[in-house]
Amino acid sequence: MVFSTTFIAIQLAGAQYSPRVVRVFVRSRLTHLTLGLFLATFVMAMTALLDIRGREPEKVPVLTVAVVVVLLLVTLGVFVVRSEEHTSELQSPYVI
């Protein structure tokens, strides 16, 4: 959802200003890092959920849950940084 909304904003900005906006977004290492981190967090959470689902309630893997929570917090932090950077990249002085 985050990336689809960003793609729509980039597409509208590219149509309004210049196609260079799209190039800046696609080449951004922060975008690649954010997407990779989102996918890693999702895969880790789903793997942990499948592992926990098959166990008894008393034997929940604490380390796995802690890793998922840490990944979630890091993902939220990177999301805020990415949103701030891409918001500034879409402003007219930067594009022009």
Side-chain angles (χ1 to χ4, degrees), residues 22-84:
V22 178
R23 184 178 62 221
V24 168
F25 177 75
V26 170
R27 290 185 180 175
S28 171
R29 290 194 185 270
L30 186 59
T31 302
H32 295 189
L33 173 74
T34 305
L35 181 59
L37 195 57
F38 281 1
L39 290 174
T41 302
F42 177 75
V43 168
M44 182 66 184
M46 289 299 112
T47 304
L49 184 63
L50 288 174
D51 187 36
I52 291 171
R53 187 175 178 201
R55 294 179 181 232
E56 297 175 20
E58 298 84 30
K59 296 183 179 182
V60 174
V62 177
L63 182 62
T64 304
V65 173
V67 168
V68 170
V69 169
V70 168
L71 270 174
L72 176 65
L73 294 174
V74 170
T75 301
L76 288 173
V78 170
F79 169 70
V80 169
V81 170
R82 188 200 65 80
S83 297
E84 175 64 31

